[in-house]
Amino acid sequence: MEKELQAKSILGVTLFVTLLSVSGIALPYPILAPLFNEGTNPLTHFMSLPKEILFGVIIGIYPLGVIIGSSFIGSYSDRYGRKKVLTLTMFGCSLSYMLTAIAAISGSFVLFALSRLLTGLFEGNIAIARAIAIDLHPTINKTKSLSWISAMGFGGYLIGPLAGGHLAPYGIDVLFFIAGLVCLVATLCCQLLLPNSINRVIEQEDKGSSLVLLKDRSLRQFFILYLFLMLGINIYYEFYPLWLVEKFAYNPAQIGWATVLITSCMIFSSTMLNSKIEKKMTTAQAGLVGMLVVTMALTIVPITSENNFWMTFALVGFGVGIYNGFLTSYISTAYEHKAQGQLMGMLVTIFCVGNLIAAGIGSLISLVQVSYSIWTAALCIAAASILFFRGHFKLALWEK
């Protein structure tokens, strides 16, 4: 009973820290697309480059930082302790957001881009939250705890954009200062509320960054399909605000509410549907269903009207909530002999590689028509679904 209570306490604090952290990350999100679309801010004028390209650089340089950071953060949490590394990276996030606010005040595009890169270096720490959730298994069911971690991440993307959309009139610098304060609160929660017991050292088969895991052929195969999946969802998530601006002339507050719709559906599926689905399907079957739902919804999005697009956005949310909970549990179980911080770091790295590629592909496609970006996202997730079906159901590359 005492062990169960301690596990629930650790999970509760981790969930709260994840919610605070992601809320801070997502707070400035709704203002970036309108800011670069209007083209009146000094940040949107640099070397006479098109504002679409500058927008792509800003949304792309952040995941570049996360790629670099996440490839080591998860692995370091195995070697030096979950609490230590999580606390340090949260404090780094806070400082880097403050620097971003200073860049916004000065109107320096270069400083703004560099500070976004620095922020990304510290924000691969969602891998640590997932690793903590996995460490609590079997005291707390792995799929359940991972789904709740996902739900808190989605909750951050609900609270952050909603607050950011309504705080936008006060200026982008204010948003980034607030994001820094939120991350500072999360830092204090890590230091004061998480027990030192989670700092235990985890033995790694392959020391180094998370990418050393790719020496395993079957993990390389999973890397490819997960990259397609992350590429697709990132193209959609990075460019649907621009689609809403161009097609329906949405303002930051309206974009924030659209994001609320998507993330509410993600949270509902993570906390309510997944536990029911787990009783009916294997983790592999459920993960595939989630991907197929997202593929279908994204195919329809560009041809929907302003009165009906919310239904397709809701389907995207449900699908993401399903696959996000089950695929993470699936790969963790299939490679339970690996250091989980390192493994979760690999997944975050793949997510951000997809984010970076999505920024480049999406910005180029949006120069023609932003709707084509949404269809490209659908094709990528369809490809991931096919690769997963082939790898698991046909070739049995992964055990679970």
Side-chain angles (χ1 to χ4, degrees), residues 223-284:
F223 179 102
I224 293 170
L225 84 85
Y226 202 71
L227 178 60
F228 271 106
L229 179 61
M230 295 301 101
L231 177 59
I233 201 61
N234 277 303
I235 289 175
Y236 167 70
Y237 210 80
E238 297 290 0
F239 287 92
Y240 82 72
L242 190 59
W243 180 76
L244 290 173
V245 170
E246 290 192 1
K247 188 164 185 178
F248 304 129
Y250 268 34
N251 59 38
Q254 290 171 310
I255 293 172
W257 280 110
T259 305
V260 166
L261 170 66
I262 300 169
T263 50
S264 295
C265 294
M266 292 177 182
I267 293 169
F268 181 80
S269 59
S270 295
T271 58
M272 304 297 291
L273 288 183
N274 284 2
S275 59
K276 300 182 185 300
I277 292 172
E278 190 176 18
K279 297 175 182 178
K280 305 288 186 181
M281 299 180 183
T282 65
T283 53

Side-chain angles (χ1 to χ4, degrees), residues 18-309:
T18 302
L19 179 65
L20 285 178
S21 173
V22 179
S23 295
I25 293 169
L27 188 67
Y29 184 76
I31 201 172
L32 291 177
L35 178 76
F36 281 86
N37 187 67
E38 291 169 3
T40 57
N41 190 286
L43 293 173
T44 64
H45 300 283
F46 178 70
M47 296 180 64
S48 302
L49 291 171
K51 61 182 186 293
E52 292 86 358
I53 298 299
L54 294 177
F55 178 62
V57 169
I58 290 301
I59 64 173
I61 201 166
Y62 166 79
L64 175 61
V66 184
I67 289 169
I68 299 170
S70 63
S71 65
F72 291 96
I73 287 174
S75 182
Y76 284 168
S77 77
D78 292 325
R79 294 162 60 185
Y80 303 111
R82 311 282 191 223
K83 177 179 176 178
K84 289 179 182 177
V85 179
L86 185 58
T87 303
L88 286 173
T89 53
M90 285 308 312
F91 185 63
C93 288
S94 178
L95 293 180
S96 57
Y97 274 120
M98 299 297 183
L99 181 61
T100 310
I102 294 171
I105 293 172
S106 66
S108 170
F109 179 84
V110 173
L111 183 59
F112 191 80
L114 289 177
S115 59
R116 292 297 288 159
L117 176 66
L118 182 62
T119 303
L121 287 173
F122 294 108
E123 285 187 345
N125 51 25
I126 187 65
I128 306 177
R130 288 178 175 175
I132 291 172
I134 293 169
D135 290 344
L136 298 175
H137 182 81
T139 305
I140 300 177
N141 177 271
K142 183 187 301 184
T143 301
K144 179 180 179 180
S145 59
L146 285 169
S147 291
W148 274 97
I149 291 289
S150 295
M152 291 302 102
F154 299 147
Y157 276 106
L158 187 155
I159 297 170
L162 180 60
H166 288 281
L167 289 171
Y170 297 98
I172 190 171
D173 54 315
V174 173
L175 291 182
F176 281 108
F177 271 126
I178 293 175
L181 291 174
V182 171
C183 288
L184 182 60
V185 172
T187 303
L188 294 174
C189 289
C190 290
Q191 180 61 32
L192 299 177
L193 301 179
L194 285 175
N196 291 328
S197 60
I198 66 172
N199 274 330
R200 64 189 180 91
V201 175
I202 309 296
E203 188 63 33
Q204 296 174 337
E205 287 185 12
D206 302 298
K207 298 187 182 298
S209 81
S210 296
L211 297 181
V212 300
L213 295 177
L214 298 181
K215 293 189 295 185
D216 186 313
R217 178 180 173 274
S218 60
L219 269 173
R220 288 200 302 272
Q221 296 289 331
F222 192 86
F223 179 102
I224 293 170
L225 84 85
Y226 202 71
L227 178 60
F228 271 106
L229 179 61
M230 295 301 101
L231 177 59
I233 201 61
N234 277 303
I235 289 175
Y236 167 70
Y237 210 80
E238 297 290 0
F239 287 92
Y240 82 72
L242 190 59
W243 180 76
L244 290 173
V245 170
E246 290 192 1
K247 188 164 185 178
F248 304 129
Y250 268 34
N251 59 38
Q254 290 171 310
I255 293 172
W257 280 110
T259 305
V260 166
L261 170 66
I262 300 169
T263 50
S264 295
C265 294
M266 292 177 182
I267 293 169
F268 181 80
S269 59
S270 295
T271 58
M272 304 297 291
L273 288 183
N274 284 2
S275 59
K276 300 182 185 300
I277 292 172
E278 190 176 18
K279 297 175 182 178
K280 305 288 186 181
M281 299 180 183
T282 65
T283 53
Q285 291 169 337
L288 182 60
V289 166
M291 288 188 281
L292 291 175
V293 169
V294 177
T295 299
M296 178 187 68
L298 290 183
T299 303
I300 302 171
V301 165
I303 59 175
T304 54
S305 66
E306 186 172 4
N307 292 329
N308 297 320
F309 84 88

